[in-house]
Every structure is written in structure tokens, then in C-alpha cells.
Amino acid sequence: MKFAEKIKALFRRNKLSEETFEDLADLLIEGDMGAALAFEIVDSLKAACKKEGISDPDAAKAKLKELLRPYIKTATFELDPGKLNIVLILGVNGVGKTTSCAKLAQWAGRQYPGNNVILAAGDTFRAAAIDQLKIHGERLGIRVVAQQHGSDPGAVLWDAIDAAAAAGAQLVIADTAGRMHTRSDLVKELAKLDRVVSQRADQANYRKLLVLDATTGQNAMRQAETFHEAVKVDGVIMTKYDSTSKGGMIIAVSRQFGLPTLFLGTGEKYENLQPFNIDAYLEDFVGE
Ligand SMILES: Nc1nc2c(ncn2[C@@H]2O[C@H](COP(=O)(O)OP(=O)(O)OP(=O)(O)O)[C@@H](O)[C@H]2O)c(=O)[nH]1
Ligand SMILES: [Mg+2]
């Protein structure tokens, strides 16, 4: 059953009772929202229903949506036309970083026609990573700046920034190696790369997007915490949203770290990247 269907079924009961609220808390936890946040939301729903005399389950569901909305920070991905825009794509292993680089490059190319995009093969750690990005670049007709396997990712970024300046490109999207948030040495390396890019391109519009896999559940909170602490992340790309009907993590990450989700990855194709839309999201999560 789709997650929203479960919420719907819950509010299809004849009347609101203590049990409805308890079951709702369980469901929100199951939806990856985390226990503390789930109870907080259920408590405020209960209070609002009492205060406003809401006894109709449908009205309570509408109220739930209304209460969830301010928890979700939103932001749009926009290029600064007067600057070089740099996007560093980060995350743990296998979450969909490289695929997201390619998807974002295509999306930005369409959104800003005539703008040159450069992909930077900043994952120099995994042998096949450079080729993987090059293949995406060939398919999409987008230039990929790369060095050899094992080279310094900071140097690749320098090259890409130089190439962008020379070509008048407005956007550099850089892949990075997957690193587990539990590996503090690798997280430190990322912080170093971040410093290198900040110094090299201090006039640029430089952003860091953390890729989180929607099927990871609460572990994504640990990932967000570590990466945000290390490099101050600007936003999230939530991938594999097509593989789960739950998405409570988007609310949890927003609430806990103030991080907006900018895009949803909704499949393996280049087209499967959608700018985050709060109305559509709430409809997915709670139902219409
Ligand atoms: N269903 C689905 N699959 C996705 C999505 N995004 C990425 N994938 C798949 O996830 C797998 C891993 O994607 P990659 O882009 O290689 O992940 P990565 O984070 O770069 O992996 P490493 O570089 O090894 O850390 C691939 O099979 C992708 O096709 C998505 O939004 N939905
Ligand atoms: Mg990769």
C-alpha cells in the first residue's frame, strides 16, 4: 500500500479518537520522520483539533497537511547569471551522485538554454567513476573535465573552473567520491576540497548539494549531520524517490538541519529529476 493510502485509511475512520492519534504517530515514524518529530507533530495536531473543535477526520487530515507545511524548507535552484556557478555533489557511496550530476547538467542546460555546462570528474578515487561520468557527458553532449584515476580532486576542480572561464561556461557541476559519513578521514578530505574550491573561486556562486537516498530511512539523518557539519551543505537531492512511497526524511532533514530539498530523483533516466514541489510532496505524503 502506498504510504499516503495508509494515512488516508487512518483518517477514513468514523471519528477521531486517541487511537487515531497514536496510530498516526506510528505511521509518521514508519514514514521516516523520526520518533521525536512524529510525536511533536501529532501533539500539535491534537492540540489544534481540540482548540478548533475539529472532530471530522477529513478536516483533521487537512489540518495535518497545514501543520506539516511550515516544517518543510524550500528553495529553488537558480543560476546567478553574473557569476560562475559551481555545484559540488556530495554523499555516501551509491546514493546516486554521479547520476544526479548528469541529470542536473541536462536539467540546467534546458532551463538555461545557451548556457554551457561543464561536468567535473571529481571522483578520482573509484577507478570506473571517471569513465562513468565521461559516458554521461558523451550521451548528453556535455563537456567533462577529468584527470587520471588517483589524482587530486582539488586539481580537477581547478581545471574545470579554468575551463569554464575559458569557454564562458556559467555552470560547473562536480562529482565527488562516495564517502561513508562514518569515515572521518574521508570527510576531512571533503572539507579540504571545499576549502580549495572556496579559495579558488571566491567570486563564484558556489553551492554544495548533498545526495540522500530516499530508501535509506533514518540513517540519512546521520549522513546529513556529518556532511553539514563538515562543509555546510546548501541543500539536498533526494534520489530513488521512485523506489519508496515514504518521504518523511525530507521533513526531518529540513526540521533538524534547515536543509531544503531542491530536487527529487525519480528514476534512472536523465529526465527523472524534478524540482521539489511542496504541494505535490504533501499530496504524496498525506494524500489529497
Ligand atoms: N530508481 C532510481 N535509481 C537511481 C536514482 N538515482 C540514481 N539511481 C541509481 O543508483 C545507482 C547508483 O548511482 P550512482 O550515480 O552511480 O551513485 P553514486 O553515488 O555516484 O555511487 P558511488 O560513486 O559509487 O558512490 C545507479 O544504478 C543509478 O541508476 C533515482 O532517482 N531512482
Ligand atoms: Mg559516483
Side-chain angles (χ1 to χ4, degrees):
M1 202 196 305
K2 270 189 77 176
F3 186 75
E5 287 297 323
K6 292 187 185 176
I7 297 229
K8 242 195 223 162
L10 182 77
F11 284 107
R12 218 177 276 131
R13 294 176 188 168
N14 297 331
K15 63 181 199 45
L16 287 180
S17 66
E18 191 55 34
E19 204 191 348
T20 318
F21 290 113
E22 277 169 24
D23 290 349
L24 177 63
D26 288 344
L27 254 186
L28 294 179
I29 294 167
E30 185 191 322
D32 288 335
M33 199 179 270
L37 183 55
F39 288 123
E40 183 183 323
I41 284 164
V42 170
D43 282 347
S44 39
L45 179 63
K46 226 195 284 185
C49 288
K50 196 169 164 206
K51 188 168 160 234
E52 296 170 35
I54 296 172
S55 56
D56 171 44
D58 252 351
K61 195 175 73 163
K63 193 80 207 170
L64 171 64
K65 237 189 207 177
E66 192 186 309
L67 287 172
L68 287 175
R69 190 176 284 270
Y71 280 93
I72 305 166
K73 194 173 169 193
T74 56
T76 46
F77 181 89
E78 277 164 20
L79 296 190
D80 186 331
K83 289 182 175 174
L84 173 62
N85 297 268
I86 304 172
V87 181
L88 198 64
I89 302 287
L90 339 158
V92 303
N93 305 80
V95 286
K97 292 177 297 301
T98 306
T99 312
S100 294
C101 287
K103 286 176 176 180
L104 186 60
Q106 191 198 43
W107 184 86
R110 286 189 177 161
Q111 198 71 7
Y112 297 89
N115 165 47
N116 274 323
V117 183
I118 287 181
L119 283 164
D123 180 359
T124 56
F125 183 73
R126 199 165 54 80
I130 297 166
D131 286 337
Q132 193 187 348
L133 198 68
K134 279 184 177 164
I135 290 168
H136 286 311
E138 263 164 42
R139 285 189 193 144
L140 292 168
I142 292 172
R143 178 163 168 207
V144 177
V145 170
Q147 290 184 8
Q148 277 167 355
H149 171 218
S151 58
D152 173 19
V156 177
L157 264 290
W158 275 61
D159 268 7
I161 291 165
D162 284 347
Q170 260 190 325
L171 175 62
V172 171
I173 300 172
D175 195 14
T176 60
R179 65 197 81 225
M180 295 315 288
H181 54 300
T182 46
R183 287 283 304 272
S184 60
D185 52 336
L186 298 181
V187 172
K188 266 186 203 141
E189 246 178 59
L190 182 66
K192 189 183 143 209
L193 175 64
D194 177 44
R195 282 196 300 276
V196 168
V197 178
S198 304
Q199 281 164 14
R200 174 67 180 81
D202 58 340
Q203 303 297 317
N205 175 30
Y206 167 44
R207 273 164 300 178
K208 288 148 270 184
L209 299 185
L210 177 66
V211 180
L212 296 173
D213 175 337
T215 65
T216 321
Q218 279 296 299
N219 188 265
M221 292 296 280
R222 306 283 107 69
Q223 298 169 20
E225 186 179 19
T226 311
F227 279 91
H228 195 39
E229 218 175 80
V231 299
K232 205 178 166 309
V233 170
D234 296 287
V236 168
I237 299 179
M238 188 70 64
T239 55
K240 312 190 193 180
Y241 191 68
D242 51 304
S243 312
T244 173
S245 54
K246 311 189 281 190
M249 219 162 58
I250 288 174
I251 304 175
V253 165
S254 170
R255 165 77 173 162
Q256 188 78 25
F257 308 108
L259 289 177
T261 293
L262 296 180
F263 290 99
L264 298 176
T266 55
E268 300 195 67
K269 299 205 187 84
Y270 296 128
E271 290 73 31
N272 299 143
L273 183 76
Q274 293 174 5
F276 181 76
N277 175 303
I278 190 166
D279 295 315
Y281 170 74
L282 281 171
E283 216 149 278
D284 276 354
F285 195 65
V286 184
E288 327 75 78

